[in-house]
Amino acid sequence: MHGLRRLEYRGYDSAGLAIADGGELVLRREVGKLNNLEEGLKRAPLTGNVGIGHTRWATHGRPTAFNAHPHTDCSGQIVVVHNGIIENYLDLKRELSDAGHRFESDTDTEVLAHLVESLYAGDLFAAVLAAYRRIEGTFATVFMHRDEPGKVVGLRHGAPLVAGLGSEEHFLASDVTAILDYTRQVVYLDDGEVVVVSKEGVRVFDHEGLPKVKEVHRIDWNPAAAEKAGYEHFMLKEIFEQPSSLTNTLGGRLDEREGRVFLGDLGLSEAELRSIDRIVIVACGTAYYAGLVGKYMIERLSRLPVEVDFASEFRYRDPVITDRTLAIAISQSGETADTLAALRECRRLGAKTLGIINAIGSTMSREVDGVLSLQSGPEISVASTKAYTSMVAALLLLATHLGQVREELADAVVAGLINDMKRLPGLVKQTLETADEVQALAETFALSQHFLFLGRGINFPTAMEGALKLKEISYIHAEAYAAGEMKHGPIALINEAMPVLALATRSSTYDKVISNLQEAKSRKGAARGTVIAIATEGDRAITAHVDRVIYVPGCSELVSPVINVVPLQLLAYYTARILGKDIDQPRNLAKSVTVE
Ligand code: F6R
């Protein structure tokens, strides 16, 4: 239960466990938060020393006790928990049903239990290995069999799984934080590996069943630093966590095979999504900028008009809301007073409501009709980084879903979007390799009094987010402008004391951005080496127009805000560090602004 609690950020709409108890596998599953499961266990305790557990956030099938994990085969001899998505589950379900298997849930997970049942001949490890050859998708999954009570078999394919080596006890978990209180010796599994945990220890095999020797990592963090994972600041840790936080946001929701996204927790039917005629997004600060990116995505993919408002302004302008409006509140904390108030106002006026929220169990998540949970894990640093990229990714999921439900998107376009989203965590990882160059940039410009960020189109909000990050943790005055607006006034500011950073990656507005940069560069100050570009890998031509370039990997325009913001986060971080500021807790700010 303690381990599950550490994983609750991944999902909390239902939970369950199975324990090998006196020759039987005993199952407990409850809808709602872990407390419900815990209360049940207090009333009727279980005994046993081998078990598996899971906390769920619905994708396939509603949050009910039947859909909660663990799932079982027909005989109740096999139990399974699973994170991720089994893309060919419908084919497998059909095949297994035809062979006489009876299904009790709407989940993709349940096919795993029946598939392993159909392949079982007295050896759980062999059956899991054989099942692995039949399943497609992204998953980490763990099995037990009644007749092999001292054994747990796990499988990793695209979703995290880590083994913990204790003294007289061993563990498997989807995040090391779940087991750190019991052991510091861990083995990180790689994709395609099968792990058998038993009294004898932890044994790892490749996908053909051949034993592998794995490195045992010792985690030396003390409990406080455990959360910092060895990084100097939470902010840096959270920036570097983005490949995995994005995997958590996107992972189980993309079905390449079926060519669709799964937003099981949306709480709004397809008919309801078809009936809306307008979207209003309310949010504050960084979440507001994510909303602005979302506007581009939703309008482009679903053709629904989208308005984005500062939540603090929204209520006071007598907004036009009808019962055909979908109001979306975006919030990391789910507690921001202004956003909550704007949301309540939308509800009062008859709108359907959706929350794009990170914090589990927050007030906002309890007040909306549906939640698209970010699942990016706790964000400790006051300056938001990983929650922002997860918000943008979640908005792309939503925009794709809306476009599909409203029949605005051809299948090939959806397939392309799914592919872009699948590649995103890897591209962010590559982008993080710019850290040293960005640090050098920060060293050049840390003493600037001002900073100007320019962007266009879907990356104009990226410029705003970059300026906000720099302001809030380094206290340097920074402003963002739509590059095309410069000549209407702000260009007058340009001089040698004003570094200009432009988002100039390949996009539909690339040529326009370049001419805007030429305008800036023809001004005196810019010629002295103050124009910096974030550009696409391979774009050598840009060096003729700017003084410094940070290259980021090429990607489609719709996902580019997630990639492009990464060097801006790093720039803010390194600048603040050089200036000796209190990075994780900047002056005058709080993580959760619960006052109006
Ligand atoms: C910026 C930042 C704030 C928050 C804003 C909204 O780094 O952290 O601007 O984004 O206060 O907070 P949430 O998302 O919790 O509603």
Side-chain angles (χ1 to χ4, degrees), residues 284-287 330-334 336 339 382-384 391 468-469 472 591 593:
C284 299
T286 285
I330 308 177
S331 177
Q332 189 289 128
S333 63
T336 302
T339 311
V382 165
S384 181
M391 286 168 186
L468 177 62
K469 285 291 90 91
E472 65 185 332
K591 184 67 187 156
V593 186

Side-chain angles (χ1 to χ4, degrees), residues 44-307:
L46 291 175
T47 54
N49 54 19
V50 184
I52 59 179
H54 189 262
T55 166
R56 173 172 190 253
W57 191 257
T59 56
H60 296 59
R62 296 181 53 72
T64 62
F66 274 124
N67 286 334
H69 302 206
H71 287 284
T72 61
D73 64 334
C74 299
S75 62
Q77 294 183 346
I78 295 170
V79 287
V80 59
V81 294
H82 153 240
N83 286 340
I85 189 166
I86 306 299
E87 293 182 357
N88 58 339
Y89 86 102
L90 283 175
D91 291 350
L92 291 170
K93 193 168 177 173
R94 218 169 291 126
E95 179 189 317
L96 290 160
S97 300
D98 289 349
H101 290 261
R102 286 165 287 103
F103 285 81
E104 290 192 338
S105 78
D106 309 315
T107 64
D108 52 341
T109 306
E110 194 184 351
V111 299
L112 295 173
H114 293 278
L115 183 62
V116 169
E117 178 185 21
S118 72
L119 297 165
Y120 187 77
D123 180 354
L124 182 60
F125 169 67
V128 170
L129 207 58
Y132 185 24
R133 296 190 188 108
R134 300 284 324 274
I135 49 187
E136 293 168 20
T138 309
F139 44 84
T141 178
V142 171
F143 298 84
M144 285 171 64
H145 195 291
R146 191 194 64 186
D147 297 342
E148 300 175 59
K151 188 188 282 179
V152 175
V153 180
L155 179 60
R156 177 192 158 131
H157 185 94
L161 193 61
V162 58
L165 317 178
S167 95
E168 301 184 5
E169 54 181 359
H170 304 299
F171 306 87
L172 283 175
S174 52
D175 188 335
V176 73
T177 51
I179 54 178
L180 267 190
D181 287 334
Y182 307 100
T183 178
R184 296 303 173 98
Q185 314 264 67
V186 303
V187 171
Y188 291 101
L189 293 163
D190 291 312
D191 284 346
E193 289 180 344
V194 185
V195 56
V196 179
V197 180
S198 67
K199 225 169 27 196
E200 283 71 49
V202 172
R203 285 168 299 150
V204 180
F205 302 85
D206 70 9
H207 66 283
E208 285 174 343
L210 300 172
K212 286 184 86 170
V213 179
K214 297 284 291 182
E215 192 183 342
V216 177
H217 295 262
R218 191 182 151 75
I219 311 259
D220 287 323
W221 319 318
N222 60 39
E227 296 178 340
K228 264 194 209 160
Y231 287 95
E232 197 179 335
H233 296 99
F234 281 109
M235 182 177 178
L236 192 63
K237 170 189 171 245
E238 287 158 9
I239 290 173
F240 275 86
E241 239 168 34
Q242 290 176 110
S244 68
S245 54
L246 283 163
T247 302
N248 288 339
T249 306
L250 294 167
R253 288 165 166 156
L254 298 172
D255 190 336
E256 210 161 15
R257 196 185 146 100
E258 295 278 316
R260 52 174 294 206
V261 299
F262 278 101
L263 300 178
D265 36 357
L266 215 51
L268 295 160
S269 69
E270 296 197 354
E272 281 174 309
L273 291 180
R274 273 191 287 270
S275 76
I276 56 178
D277 63 4
R278 199 164 62 95
I279 291 183
V280 169
I281 297 180
V282 287
C284 299
T286 285
Y288 168 78
Y289 298 136
L292 290 178
V293 179
K295 173 182 167 75
Y296 283 88
M297 293 168 163
I298 296 170
E299 290 188 340
R300 190 176 303 177
L301 298 180
S302 78
R303 308 310 301 153
L304 271 168
V306 182
E307 274 176 56

Side-chain angles (χ1 to χ4, degrees), residues 499-542:
V500 177
L501 185 147
L503 292 149
T505 45
R506 292 247 180 255
S507 71
S508 51
T509 50
Y510 175 78
D511 293 337
K512 302 269 179 235
V513 173
I514 295 297
S515 38
N516 300 143
L517 288 184
Q518 281 165 335
E519 287 157 18
K521 203 166 157 55
S522 64
R523 300 302 174 278
K524 170 165 130 263
R528 295 193 192 171
T530 57
V531 179
I532 307 149
I534 305 296
T536 306
E537 202 75 73
D539 180 5
R540 298 287 156 227
I542 199 160

